[in-house]
Amino acid sequence: MTGKRVHIQEVATRDGFQNEAQFVETDAKIALIDDLSACGYAKIEVTSFTSPKAIPALRDAEAVMHGIARRKGIVYTVLVPNIRGAERALSCGVDEVNLVMSVSESHNRTNLRMSREQSFAQLRDVIGVVKQTSVAINVSLSTAMGCPMEGDIAQEAVLGWMQRFADLGVHGVTLCDTTGMAFPSQVGALCAAARKRFPALELTLHFHNTRGMALANTLAALDAGIDRFDASLGGLGGCPYAPGATGNVCTEELVHMLELDGYDTGVDLSALLSASALLPGLIGHDVPSQLLKAGRRLDLHAMPGAASEGRPEQRAFDIN
Ligand code: COA
Ligand code: ZN
């Protein structure tokens, strides 16, 4: 018997790389995504079609999208902020566009340099264009669980933006905790309300681990019936236009926890750990992943030489 299916969506090459000072070479990005394609993800967010001035780290979006070897069964999605981005994405034959705007006015203006209403008007036009194709449309709502400049975000405000996009016929919405402000009971209440009001929408939760609550928030979302999560290899990630932002929930830690609890993620944890071990070489620094340092819980260690020579009761005494 297999456990309940949970869909894992990798965002390291978008949410992760967008925030790195060191440019990851196009060939290295392509090689990493090809490795990730063999890991068993439901979806991979490959890159973003944003202004190269705003996000220079992803200025090679077309080359990356054209260079990867796409596997059947994986949805290859890209982040898109405006019409120009949508045109670029469509010209690369993406499976899905992931449109982005913020629930808070301050973060939208900081990140996208326009008001929420201006963003919505542009995204409405994008949706009109993309709906004439077979490309799927997801909308990511940033700062849905707190804004680093405005503080708490009312649940009704989040549901209100979801309603406006649902009315335009998008297939999915991602609720993003952009700077790790969410906490479990808040997540549970928001997820339950969103599922009840929008049963037909494909819902994704996108947690950042800024304050160490990402896995706890994931459990709260699972309890509320969510079965789809964004996560980032190594725990990379962060919005360069959100003060204090740090990495997403770490994919290998998320998969490790879910598999221990009997969920079916479809993801090969050993392959993930091998891919994650390559990240420091690509970005020039260590990654937040605890699992990469500690290993899986049953990756056992040999007893240290001296301790293994004593009697068992003596060894216990020695280490106390
Ligand atoms: N792709 C490529 N170039 C784009 C573009 C896109 N999607 N959108 C705008 N541009 C270019 C314009 O052509 C223009 O180029 P020019 O200076 O050579 O003429 C320049 O960017 C500025 O265009 P403008 O429409 O005035 O945009 P802006 O400077 O107000 O920036 C966004 C608006 C949305 C394009 C920009 O803020 C952005 O890309 N933000 C993304 C932020 C992000 O990804 N954050 C992290 C993820 S949540
Ligand atoms: Zn994010």
Side-chain angles (χ1 to χ4, degrees), residues 27-42:
D27 287 349
K29 285 177 178 140
I30 292 169
L32 176 65
I33 294 162
D34 287 349
D35 283 352
L36 295 174
S37 287
C39 289
Y41 288 101

mmCIF file with all atom_site columns, all heavy atoms in Angstrom, residues 27-42:
data_model
loop_
_atom_site.group_PDB
_atom_site.id
_atom_site.type_symbol
_atom_site.label_atom_id
_atom_site.label_alt_id
_atom_site.label_comp_id
_atom_site.label_asym_id
_atom_site.label_entity_id
_atom_site.label_seq_id
_atom_site.pdbx_PDB_ins_code
_atom_site.Cartn_x
_atom_site.Cartn_y
_atom_site.Cartn_z
_atom_site.occupancy
_atom_site.B_iso_or_equiv
_atom_site.pdbx_formal_charge
_atom_site.auth_seq_id
_atom_site.auth_comp_id
_atom_site.auth_asym_id
_atom_site.auth_atom_id
_atom_site.pdbx_PDB_model_num
ATOM 1   N N   . ASP A 1 27 ? 25.367 26.572 -18.819 1.00 0.00 ? 27 ASP A N   1
ATOM 2   C CA  . ASP A 1 27 ? 25.547 25.112 -18.967 1.00 0.00 ? 27 ASP A CA  1
ATOM 3   C C   . ASP A 1 27 ? 25.377 24.392 -17.638 1.00 0.00 ? 27 ASP A C   1
ATOM 4   O O   . ASP A 1 27 ? 24.843 23.279 -17.584 1.00 0.00 ? 27 ASP A O   1
ATOM 5   C CB  . ASP A 1 27 ? 26.949 24.789 -19.512 1.00 0.00 ? 27 ASP A CB  1
ATOM 6   C CG  . ASP A 1 27 ? 27.059 25.149 -20.984 1.00 0.00 ? 27 ASP A CG  1
ATOM 7   O OD1 . ASP A 1 27 ? 26.006 25.443 -21.598 1.00 0.00 ? 27 ASP A OD1 1
ATOM 8   O OD2 . ASP A 1 27 ? 28.194 25.147 -21.503 1.00 0.00 ? 27 ASP A OD2 1
ATOM 9   N N   . ALA A 1 28 ? 25.856 25.027 -16.558 1.00 0.00 ? 28 ALA A N   1
ATOM 10  C CA  . ALA A 1 28 ? 25.727 24.412 -15.225 1.00 0.00 ? 28 ALA A CA  1
ATOM 11  C C   . ALA A 1 28 ? 24.261 24.387 -14.794 1.00 0.00 ? 28 ALA A C   1
ATOM 12  O O   . ALA A 1 28 ? 23.804 23.420 -14.168 1.00 0.00 ? 28 ALA A O   1
ATOM 13  C CB  . ALA A 1 28 ? 26.575 25.179 -14.215 1.00 0.00 ? 28 ALA A CB  1
ATOM 14  N N   . LYS A 1 29 ? 23.522 25.449 -15.109 1.00 0.00 ? 29 LYS A N   1
ATOM 15  C CA  . LYS A 1 29 ? 22.084 25.462 -14.790 1.00 0.00 ? 29 LYS A CA  1
ATOM 16  C C   . LYS A 1 29 ? 21.391 24.319 -15.527 1.00 0.00 ? 29 LYS A C   1
ATOM 17  O O   . LYS A 1 29 ? 20.575 23.583 -14.954 1.00 0.00 ? 29 LYS A O   1
ATOM 18  C CB  . LYS A 1 29 ? 21.448 26.787 -15.227 1.00 0.00 ? 29 LYS A CB  1
ATOM 19  C CG  . LYS A 1 29 ? 21.771 27.972 -14.342 1.00 0.00 ? 29 LYS A CG  1
ATOM 20  C CD  . LYS A 1 29 ? 21.130 29.230 -14.923 1.00 0.00 ? 29 LYS A CD  1
ATOM 21  C CE  . LYS A 1 29 ? 21.381 30.453 -14.064 1.00 0.00 ? 29 LYS A CE  1
ATOM 22  N NZ  . LYS A 1 29 ? 21.654 31.672 -14.827 1.00 0.00 ? 29 LYS A NZ  1
ATOM 23  N N   . ILE A 1 30 ? 21.712 24.185 -16.811 1.00 0.00 ? 30 ILE A N   1
ATOM 24  C CA  . ILE A 1 30 ? 21.060 23.144 -17.624 1.00 0.00 ? 30 ILE A CA  1
ATOM 25  C C   . ILE A 1 30 ? 21.394 21.757 -17.075 1.00 0.00 ? 30 ILE A C   1
ATOM 26  O O   . ILE A 1 30 ? 20.510 20.906 -16.922 1.00 0.00 ? 30 ILE A O   1
ATOM 27  C CB  . ILE A 1 30 ? 21.498 23.286 -19.104 1.00 0.00 ? 30 ILE A CB  1
ATOM 28  C CG1 . ILE A 1 30 ? 20.919 24.584 -19.692 1.00 0.00 ? 30 ILE A CG1 1
ATOM 29  C CG2 . ILE A 1 30 ? 21.062 22.068 -19.927 1.00 0.00 ? 30 ILE A CG2 1
ATOM 30  C CD1 . ILE A 1 30 ? 21.473 24.974 -21.046 1.00 0.00 ? 30 ILE A CD1 1
ATOM 31  N N   . ALA A 1 31 ? 22.667 21.550 -16.732 1.00 0.00 ? 31 ALA A N   1
ATOM 32  C CA  . ALA A 1 31 ? 23.077 20.230 -16.209 1.00 0.00 ? 31 ALA A CA  1
ATOM 33  C C   . ALA A 1 31 ? 22.352 19.924 -14.900 1.00 0.00 ? 31 ALA A C   1
ATOM 34  O O   . ALA A 1 31 ? 21.896 18.798 -14.667 1.00 0.00 ? 31 ALA A O   1
ATOM 35  C CB  . ALA A 1 31 ? 24.595 20.199 -16.006 1.00 0.00 ? 31 ALA A CB  1
ATOM 36  N N   . LEU A 1 32 ? 22.226 20.932 -14.032 1.00 0.00 ? 32 LEU A N   1
ATOM 37  C CA  . LEU A 1 32 ? 21.532 20.715 -12.752 1.00 0.00 ? 32 LEU A CA  1
ATOM 38  C C   . LEU A 1 32 ? 20.059 20.375 -12.998 1.00 0.00 ? 32 LEU A C   1
ATOM 39  O O   . LEU A 1 32 ? 19.518 19.437 -12.399 1.00 0.00 ? 32 LEU A O   1
ATOM 40  C CB  . LEU A 1 32 ? 21.654 21.960 -11.863 1.00 0.00 ? 32 LEU A CB  1
ATOM 41  C CG  . LEU A 1 32 ? 20.890 21.868 -10.543 1.00 0.00 ? 32 LEU A CG  1
ATOM 42  C CD1 . LEU A 1 32 ? 21.456 20.777 -9.634  1.00 0.00 ? 32 LEU A CD1 1
ATOM 43  C CD2 . LEU A 1 32 ? 20.906 23.214 -9.792  1.00 0.00 ? 32 LEU A CD2 1
ATOM 44  N N   . ILE A 1 33 ? 19.403 21.129 -13.875 1.00 0.00 ? 33 ILE A N   1
ATOM 45  C CA  . ILE A 1 33 ? 17.975 20.869 -14.134 1.00 0.00 ? 33 ILE A CA  1
ATOM 46  C C   . ILE A 1 33 ? 17.807 19.471 -14.740 1.00 0.00 ? 33 ILE A C   1
ATOM 47  O O   . ILE A 1 33 ? 16.865 18.742 -14.394 1.00 0.00 ? 33 ILE A O   1
ATOM 48  C CB  . ILE A 1 33 ? 17.370 21.974 -15.031 1.00 0.00 ? 33 ILE A CB  1
ATOM 49  C CG1 . ILE A 1 33 ? 17.371 23.301 -14.264 1.00 0.00 ? 33 ILE A CG1 1
ATOM 50  C CG2 . ILE A 1 33 ? 15.947 21.598 -15.470 1.00 0.00 ? 33 ILE A CG2 1
ATOM 51  C CD1 . ILE A 1 33 ? 17.210 24.527 -15.125 1.00 0.00 ? 33 ILE A CD1 1
ATOM 52  N N   . ASP A 1 34 ? 18.727 19.073 -15.601 1.00 0.00 ? 34 ASP A N   1
ATOM 53  C CA  . ASP A 1 34 ? 18.641 17.714 -16.167 1.00 0.00 ? 34 ASP A CA  1
ATOM 54  C C   . ASP A 1 34 ? 18.793 16.657 -15.063 1.00 0.00 ? 34 ASP A C   1
ATOM 55  O O   . ASP A 1 34 ? 18.086 15.647 -15.066 1.00 0.00 ? 34 ASP A O   1
ATOM 56  C CB  . ASP A 1 34 ? 19.685 17.516 -17.272 1.00 0.00 ? 34 ASP A CB  1
ATOM 57  C CG  . ASP A 1 34 ? 19.299 18.272 -18.553 1.00 0.00 ? 34 ASP A CG  1
ATOM 58  O OD1 . ASP A 1 34 ? 18.140 18.752 -18.635 1.00 0.00 ? 34 ASP A OD1 1
ATOM 59  O OD2 . ASP A 1 34 ? 20.147 18.379 -19.463 1.00 0.00 ? 34 ASP A OD2 1
ATOM 60  N N   . ASP A 1 35 ? 19.678 16.906 -14.103 1.00 0.00 ? 35 ASP A N   1
ATOM 61  C CA  . ASP A 1 35 ? 19.794 15.996 -12.947 1.00 0.00 ? 35 ASP A CA  1
ATOM 62  C C   . ASP A 1 35 ? 18.484 15.977 -12.155 1.00 0.00 ? 35 ASP A C   1
ATOM 63  O O   . ASP A 1 35 ? 18.003 14.925 -11.729 1.00 0.00 ? 35 ASP A O   1
ATOM 64  C CB  . ASP A 1 35 ? 20.912 16.451 -11.985 1.00 0.00 ? 35 ASP A CB  1
ATOM 65  C CG  . ASP A 1 35 ? 22.310 16.098 -12.499 1.00 0.00 ? 35 ASP A CG  1
ATOM 66  O OD1 . ASP A 1 35 ? 22.401 15.372 -13.515 1.00 0.00 ? 35 ASP A OD1 1
ATOM 67  O OD2 . ASP A 1 35 ? 23.296 16.565 -11.899 1.00 0.00 ? 35 ASP A OD2 1
ATOM 68  N N   . LEU A 1 36 ? 17.921 17.157 -11.940 1.00 0.00 ? 36 LEU A N   1
ATOM 69  C CA  . LEU A 1 36 ? 16.680 17.251 -11.158 1.00 0.00 ? 36 LEU A CA  1
ATOM 70  C C   . LEU A 1 36 ? 15.532 16.536 -11.862 1.00 0.00 ? 36 LEU A C   1
ATOM 71  O O   . LEU A 1 36 ? 14.660 15.941 -11.223 1.00 0.00 ? 36 LEU A O   1
ATOM 72  C CB  . LEU A 1 36 ? 16.318 18.720 -10.893 1.00 0.00 ? 36 LEU A CB  1
ATOM 73  C CG  . LEU A 1 36 ? 17.309 19.485 -10.004 1.00 0.00 ? 36 LEU A CG  1
ATOM 74  C CD1 . LEU A 1 36 ? 16.946 20.969 -9.929  1.00 0.00 ? 36 LEU A CD1 1
ATOM 75  C CD2 . LEU A 1 36 ? 17.354 18.881 -8.605  1.00 0.00 ? 36 LEU A CD2 1
ATOM 76  N N   . SER A 1 37 ? 15.555 16.584 -13.200 1.00 0.00 ? 37 SER A N   1
ATOM 77  C CA  . SER A 1 37 ? 14.485 15.919 -13.966 1.00 0.00 ? 37 SER A CA  1
ATOM 78  C C   . SER A 1 37 ? 14.473 14.413 -13.726 1.00 0.00 ? 37 SER A C   1
ATOM 79  O O   . SER A 1 37 ? 13.454 13.757 -13.947 1.00 0.00 ? 37 SER A O   1
ATOM 80  C CB  . SER A 1 37 ? 14.648 16.201 -15.463 1.00 0.00 ? 37 SER A CB  1
ATOM 81  O OG  . SER A 1 37 ? 14.298 17.536 -15.741 1.00 0.00 ? 37 SER A OG  1
ATOM 82  N N   . ALA A 1 38 ? 15.611 13.879 -13.266 1.00 0.00 ? 38 ALA A N   1
ATOM 83  C CA  . ALA A 1 38 ? 15.678 12.432 -13.011 1.00 0.00 ? 38 ALA A CA  1
ATOM 84  C C   . ALA A 1 38 ? 15.274 12.092 -11.573 1.00 0.00 ? 38 ALA A C   1
ATOM 85  O O   . ALA A 1 38 ? 15.284 10.928 -11.186 1.00 0.00 ? 38 ALA A O   1
ATOM 86  C CB  . ALA A 1 38 ? 17.101 11.941 -13.275 1.00 0.00 ? 38 ALA A CB  1
ATOM 87  N N   . CYS A 1 39 ? 14.927 13.112 -10.773 1.00 0.00 ? 39 CYS A N   1
ATOM 88  C CA  . CYS A 1 39 ? 14.658 12.881 -9.341  1.00 0.00 ? 39 CYS A CA  1
ATOM 89  C C   . CYS A 1 39 ? 13.205 12.541 -9.021  1.00 0.00 ? 39 CYS A C   1
ATOM 90  O O   . CYS A 1 39 ? 12.908 12.129 -7.901  1.00 0.00 ? 39 CYS A O   1
ATOM 91  C CB  . CYS A 1 39 ? 15.073 14.098 -8.519  1.00 0.00 ? 39 CYS A CB  1
ATOM 92  S SG  . CYS A 1 39 ? 16.856 14.320 -8.414  1.00 0.00 ? 39 CYS A SG  1
ATOM 93  N N   . GLY A 1 40 ? 12.286 12.773 -9.956  1.00 0.00 ? 40 GLY A N   1
ATOM 94  C CA  . GLY A 1 40 ? 10.895 12.382 -9.710  1.00 0.00 ? 40 GLY A CA  1
ATOM 95  C C   . GLY A 1 40 ? 9.958  13.500 -9.276  1.00 0.00 ? 40 GLY A C   1
ATOM 96  O O   . GLY A 1 40 ? 8.927  13.247 -8.655  1.00 0.00 ? 40 GLY A O   1
ATOM 97  N N   . TYR A 1 41 ? 10.294 14.727 -9.599  1.00 0.00 ? 41 TYR A N   1
ATOM 98  C CA  . TYR A 1 41 ? 9.421  15.859 -9.246  1.00 0.00 ? 41 TYR A CA  1
ATOM 99  C C   . TYR A 1 41 ? 8.129  15.871 -10.068 1.00 0.00 ? 41 TYR A C   1
ATOM 100 O O   . TYR A 1 41 ? 8.101  15.402 -11.204 1.00 0.00 ? 41 TYR A O   1
ATOM 101 C CB  . TYR A 1 41 ? 10.128 17.191 -9.551  1.00 0.00 ? 41 TYR A CB  1
ATOM 102 C CG  . TYR A 1 41 ? 11.254 17.530 -8.620  1.00 0.00 ? 41 TYR A CG  1
ATOM 103 C CD1 . TYR A 1 41 ? 12.577 17.317 -8.994  1.00 0.00 ? 41 TYR A CD1 1
ATOM 104 C CD2 . TYR A 1 41 ? 10.997 18.075 -7.375  1.00 0.00 ? 41 TYR A CD2 1
ATOM 105 C CE1 . TYR A 1 41 ? 13.616 17.640 -8.151  1.00 0.00 ? 41 TYR A CE1 1
ATOM 106 C CE2 . TYR A 1 41 ? 12.034 18.399 -6.526  1.00 0.00 ? 41 TYR A CE2 1
ATOM 107 C CZ  . TYR A 1 41 ? 13.337 18.186 -6.920  1.00 0.00 ? 41 TYR A CZ  1
ATOM 108 O OH  . TYR A 1 41 ? 14.357 18.503 -6.076  1.00 0.00 ? 41 TYR A OH  1
ATOM 109 N N   . ALA A 1 42 ? 7.111  16.519 -9.477  1.00 0.00 ? 42 ALA A N   1
ATOM 110 C CA  . ALA A 1 42 ? 5.885  16.781 -10.227 1.00 0.00 ? 42 ALA A CA  1
ATOM 111 C C   . ALA A 1 42 ? 6.077  17.982 -11.150 1.00 0.00 ? 42 ALA A C   1
ATOM 112 O O   . ALA A 1 42 ? 5.540  18.042 -12.260 1.00 0.00 ? 42 ALA A O   1
ATOM 113 C CB  . ALA A 1 42 ? 4.736  17.061 -9.260  1.00 0.00 ? 42 ALA A CB  1
#
